[in-house]
Amino acid sequence: MAGFLDDIEPLKQAALEELNAAPDGAALEQTKGAWIGPNGKFTALMKQLSTLTKEEKPAAGKLVNAAKVELEAALGARREALELAAALPTRPTDFTLPGRRRALGKLHPLTQVTEDIVRAFRKIGFAVADGPEIEDEYHCFDALNTPADHPARDAQDTFYLSSNGPDHSSLPLGEVGGTRVRQPRLLRTHTSSVQIRVMKSQPPPVRIIVPGRVYRRDNADATHNPTFHQIEGLYVDQGVTVGDLKGTVEFVFQELMGRDVKIRFRPHYFSYTEPSYEIDFTNALVKKMGKDWLEIAGCGMVHPQVFENVGYDPAVWTGWAFGFGIERIAMLRYGINDIRLFYENDVRFLRNF
Ligand code: DAH
């Protein structure tokens, strides 16, 4: 018994010395194993406890355990110290240097403008609707009352998915004037196609806007690009008037561009509205450009034939629709003079918004 008790202290001291001298994490773990691992020297001492008598055991056990607790605490402290040391810079560091700034991305200016427009329309109860960019002639043209010989349908202006004329047998079935016919597919030239999809999928009333990408066979220049973005609006209810349309457009543009915005409607022609208008826009910025008005959108009262096409009763329902280009608005808002800048993804440009 005396020998056993006498062994504890020197063994513990030796273990502590070795633990505290371990130069790194790996060495420390090895030292740990050598002392308090299953085959460790200190563990061996503990195993001898069982050779003591019943009377000797409690006092001896207490001492051995206290020593073990001390060893474990020393092990933890050394481990922490070594980890901290490993984390310290190996070369001299100037802690007074400014921090490294992490560059934050931001939304593309077109996305920012789109979100602002959507926010303005949400305030007055419009929901956002969506439709496919690959369309068929029915939704893009026929249902919108656009005749087959209309120039917009020309292969010179529209991207058809089959370049050497459609092979009608393999085309999807669509509907023209109530009959099922094979439909050539194309990249939508405007978001107006979504008007048809929404009206066909739900009964009136309708109050939607449709932001989305559209495609036209234009050569890129400062004001044109083969892909650009539009926002379509459609409002169908009973007793809807041009006054509602004008008030809505005015509200949204004032939200977007400031209180000094003025709106003007000019008679125009679209096959899916009657009467139809072009919307002109002016504010201080437009004046500064040396202009009185800038054409910004097309709109009108939904044509009764369009209502017929989607199964709404034109004797009951009235509505208006509009469509405008998002790039145009963004260019006005930020004073950008070349539409192509939006698509180049040059951060020197994008950083400005
Ligand atoms: N779709 C027309 C365009 O792309 C814009 C437009 C005009 C949309 C009149 C409409 C509308 O909804 O009623 O130029």
Side-chain angles (χ1 to χ4, degrees), residues 4 37-52 57 64:
F4 179 85
N39 298 314
K41 288 178 242 176
F42 199 81
T43 312
L45 182 71
M46 294 181 84
K47 282 179 188 159
Q48 288 177 31
L49 267 179
S50 58
T51 65
L52 301 182
K57 258 187 204 163
V64 170

Side-chain angles (χ1 to χ4, degrees), residues 292-307:
D292 284 336
W293 297 94
L294 266 189
E295 171 203 323
I296 196 114
C299 69
M301 301 302 291
V302 178
H303 197 292
Q305 185 60 52
V306 173
F307 280 148

Side-chain angles (χ1 to χ4, degrees), residues 44 64-65 117 190 240 341 344 353:
V64 170
N65 269 326
I117 297 171
H190 53 186
V240 173
L341 289 166
E344 284 169 357
F353 309 99

Side-chain angles (χ1 to χ4, degrees), residues 17 36 45 58 68 71 79 84 108 110 143 146 196 216 275:
E17 221 166 277
I36 53 179
L45 182 71
K68 173 119 193 267
L71 284 182
R79 191 180 280 144
L84 188 66
H108 191 280
L110 290 178
T146 308
I196 303 302
R216 288 186 197 172

Side-chain angles (χ1 to χ4, degrees), residues 44-194:
L45 182 71
M46 294 181 84
K47 282 179 188 159
Q48 288 177 31
L49 267 179
S50 58
T51 65
L52 301 182
T53 66
K54 223 177 180 178
E55 292 70 35
E56 292 167 337
K57 258 187 204 163
K62 214 170 167 185
L63 275 174
V64 170
N65 269 326
K68 173 119 193 267
V69 167
E70 208 178 316
L71 284 182
E72 271 167 357
L75 174 73
R78 184 64 186 159
R79 191 180 280 144
E80 222 169 272
L82 285 174
E83 274 169 10
L84 188 66
L88 281 178
T90 49
R91 279 177 298 164
T93 304
D94 181 355
F95 290 104
T96 66
L97 283 175
R100 226 169 269 152
R101 202 175 280 277
R102 195 173 300 204
L104 264 188
K106 27 171 141 171
L107 295 176
H108 191 280
L110 290 178
T111 308
Q112 290 185 36
V113 170
T114 305
E115 289 195 350
D116 287 345
I117 297 171
V118 168
R119 200 170 300 125
F121 274 105
R122 281 234 165 99
K123 282 187 183 171
I124 48 175
F126 280 74
V128 174
D130 199 6
E133 290 176 20
I134 296 177
E135 257 301 358
D136 51 44
E137 285 201 296
Y138 174 73
H139 290 91
C140 203
F141 298 126
D142 296 302
L144 288 163
N145 212 21
T146 308
D149 58 359
H150 194 279
R153 302 180 65 147
D154 200 293
Q156 299 241 345
D157 294 317
T158 300
F159 290 106
Y160 285 89
L161 262 62
S162 154
S163 54
N164 35 358
D167 165 12
H168 286 268
S169 61
S170 63
L171 290 170
L173 269 174
E175 203 180 314
V176 178
T179 47
R180 306 271 287 161
V181 296
R182 299 282 171 193
Q183 281 293 314
R185 294 213 289 171
L186 46 82
L187 298 181
R188 69 178 178 197
T189 57
H190 53 186
T191 42
S192 305
S193 52
V194 185

Side-chain angles (χ1 to χ4, degrees), residues 144 189-192 195 214 216 228 230-234 270 272-273 276-277 297-302 320-324:
L144 288 163
T189 57
H190 53 186
T191 42
S192 305
Q195 286 188 34
V214 300
R216 288 186 197 172
F228 60 102
Q230 289 187 327
I231 286 205
E232 191 81 12
L234 175 67
F270 297 103
Y272 29 98
T273 43
S276 305
Y277 310 94
C299 69
M301 301 302 291
V302 178
W320 47 249
F322 65 78
F324 46 75

